[in-house]
Amino acid sequence: MDNHATTRVDERVLAVMLPYFCEHYGNSSLTMHRYARRAESAVDGARLQVAKIIGATKDEIFFTGTATESINLAIKGAAFANKNHGEHIITSMAEHKAVLNSCQSLEKQGFKVTYLKPESDGRILPEKVFTAITDRTILVTLMLANNENGVIHDVKTIGKELSKRKILFHIDAVQGVGKIPFDVTSSHSDYVSLSAHKMYGPKGVAALFIRKNPNTLMEPLTDGGGQEQGIRSGTHNVSGIVGFGEACRIAQEEMPEESQRLLNLRESLHQKIISQLDGVFLNGPLENRLPGNLNMSFAEIEGDVLLASLIEIAVSSGSACSAGNQNSSHVLRAQGVPDDLAKAAIRFGLGRYNTQEEVDFAAQLVIRHVKRLRQFSAF
Ligand code: PLP
């Protein structure tokens, strides 16, 4: 139940990947023999599948190794390439560390960054973005959906205004693509980061969309053999890319049905817990939320003690990506959740392989342990 951290590889994805390890193992960047051509055509096919899920064209998709790399490339690459036009970047305090730390690294190099504070339900109001704009703003970077509180941002309204003002827009769409409808046209995005392992594809492969447009300048961060139109050099992870393509195809085809199923599971889990426990606070909104996401804080409980009690289920207390971080979640703190409640937050990320039986089991477990711990609570 921790599918925001990562997902199990779909067996259909694994099946299309396997021949690219020992059989079709050519280097897709060289096209002089049939091994290479076979690999190249597989990468090409996958590029089309990845492009399709966000409504892009093939030549706008650049394969990378991780979403973190895509995000670094988008933010730093766009900032370096546009530094003659301005040095101001806008983001939010609730972004993933890949975004926040890329921005902090740019600040050390003279860029100025505005970190917007989200509302108490996690939303970023589009007006707040617009009022932060100055005549030196070159880039806005925001996420499509938050990995902790599940909030889905109004990227369409934000993107429309930014495109009018000719300000570049990067969307970290890692948690949203494949789960909720999203496309690069209606969001007016210039750069979009996405990742295979959050959507039942393999780890170690991700992509960056870069709009084909004279304004979307990009300075590469990796020099080498000139793969990916010179933007991201390095031999392709062919099997991974093929798996990523298949993961996109499946997600696109099954999204309507799958998101409804996850929503039903999520609501069932939430209802069961709040019908039996008081002092449960939902972190994030009820509406406009990723279908599989539920993030709750429990009053009068030590969060780490609760998590340690729930050993039979895999859930998270915050962002798995801030590895080893013992502080309360920066996302929950940013939206004003008091420290004791932020520390007592549990994040469920329901996914493709979770069942109603598992949800019933998890609900009972949480209810039992919260009641038990409250009996001994020092609060
Ligand atoms: N952006 C978001 C919203 C995420 O949830 C994550 C990972 O959890 C990332 C970026 C970074 O992805 P990765 O660690 O796979 O590079």
Side-chain angles (χ1 to χ4, degrees):
M1 296 186 162
D2 198 15
N3 287 276
H4 295 315
T6 194
T7 57
R8 173 171 136 190
V9 173
D10 190 305
E11 261 129 53
R12 293 167 288 180
V13 168
L14 180 63
V16 300
M17 290 175 67
L18 287 177
Y20 290 90
F21 286 98
C22 300
E23 217 179 316
H24 312 307
Y25 57 84
N27 186 329
S28 48
S29 319
L30 317 161
T31 49
M32 58 277 247
H33 52 64
R34 69 188 171 87
Y35 290 96
R37 280 200 299 274
R38 176 74 194 236
E40 198 224 352
S41 106
V43 168
D44 198 52
R47 201 184 297 281
L48 184 60
Q49 289 171 313
V50 174
K52 262 177 87 176
I53 200 170
I54 55 170
T57 59
K58 242 178 15 175
D59 57 349
E60 295 175 312
I61 299 298
F62 297 77
F63 287 116
T64 62
T66 60
T68 298
E69 185 192 339
S70 300
I71 289 168
N72 272 263
L73 180 57
I75 297 176
K76 295 177 189 170
F80 295 149
N82 287 285
K83 59 176 186 287
N84 292 337
H85 301 125
E87 65 294 308
H88 182 230
I89 296 168
I90 300 171
T91 188
S92 99
M93 293 160 72
E95 297 300 302
H96 188 270
K97 294 282 179 181
V99 169
L100 295 175
N101 291 345
S102 291
C103 288
Q104 276 165 25
S105 145
L106 286 175
E107 281 182 293
K108 290 189 195 127
Q109 300 180 58
F111 288 89
K112 307 256 179 306
V113 183
T114 300
Y115 298 90
L116 299 172
K117 186 173 164 47
E119 302 303 295
S120 60
D121 62 2
R123 280 177 311 143
I124 299 290
L125 298 181
E127 304 80 69
K128 272 201 178 170
V129 178
F130 308 146
T131 31
I133 293 172
T134 73
D135 56 1
R136 302 296 294 167
T137 307
I138 48 173
L139 177 73
V140 172
T141 173
L142 292 171
M143 50 178 32
L144 170 61
N146 190 284
N147 49 307
E148 294 196 41
N149 58 27
V151 62
I152 298 170
H153 292 299
D154 184 2
V155 291
K156 286 188 189 172
T157 305
I158 296 169
K160 194 169 173 195
E161 183 63 23
L162 294 180
S163 85
K164 270 197 231 154
R165 301 201 195 188
K166 301 213 172 350
I167 294 169
L168 294 165
F169 190 22
H170 168 242
I171 300 181
D172 167 2
V174 168
Q175 293 288 346
V177 167
K179 293 171 196 136
I180 53 169
F182 169 79
D183 69 89
V184 296
T185 306
S186 65
S187 62
H188 298 267
S189 39
D190 297 293
Y191 310 102
V192 175
S193 296
L194 49 158
S195 169
H197 80 96
K198 306 284 189 185
M199 45 193 293
Y200 313 96
K203 294 171 183 62
V205 59
L208 177 65
F209 157 82
I210 306 177
R211 184 176 292 286
K212 273 273 167 286
N213 178 327
N215 296 329
T216 48
L217 302 173
M218 169 63 57
E219 198 166 299
L221 304 184
T222 322
D223 296 313
Q227 289 90 343
E228 299 300 284
Q229 304 176 48
I231 295 290
R232 201 278 192 172
S233 287
T235 299
H236 290 128
N237 170 2
V238 178
S239 56
I241 289 172
V242 168
F244 190 8
E246 179 69 357
C248 287
R249 185 196 66 74
I250 297 169
Q252 196 172 8
E253 205 170 287
E254 301 183 355
M255 191 192 310
E257 211 175 282
E258 184 163 293
S259 49
Q260 189 55 51
R261 195 184 74 87
L262 289 179
L263 191 62
N264 294 345
L265 287 181
R266 202 266 310 283
E267 279 176 358
S268 158
L269 179 61
H270 189 205
Q271 283 311 318
K272 278 179 201 300
I273 291 174
I274 57 174
S275 68
Q276 302 236 11
L277 289 176
D278 295 326
V280 182
F281 301 93
L282 180 68
N283 297 314
L286 259 182
E287 305 285 321
N288 293 327
R289 182 177 196 121
L290 284 174
N293 176 280
L294 186 61
N295 188 322
M296 290 170 297
S297 289
F298 299 88
E300 298 162 34
I301 291 276
E302 299 278 357
D304 48 351
V305 180
L306 175 60
L307 201 65
S309 310
L310 300 175
I311 43 172
E312 288 137 300
I313 55 173
V315 289
S316 165
S317 62
S319 168
C321 303
S322 30
N325 189 348
Q326 294 303 309
N327 294 329
S328 60
S329 144
H330 72 278
V331 173
L332 300 185
R333 280 200 314 264
Q335 68 183 70
V337 176
D339 207 42
D340 57 329
L341 282 180
K343 279 187 176 145
I346 298 285
R347 176 189 72 171
F348 290 88
L350 303 178
R352 186 171 290 169
Y353 300 102
N354 290 126
T355 62
Q356 182 66 53
E357 291 68 42
E358 288 174 347
V359 162
D360 296 345
F361 177 77
Q364 285 318 313
L365 201 71
V366 169
I367 293 162
R368 179 151 51 87
H369 283 293
V370 169
K371 283 185 175 165
R372 181 181 63 82
L373 291 171
R374 278 183 180 160
Q375 280 180 345
F376 305 107
S377 164
F379 281 89

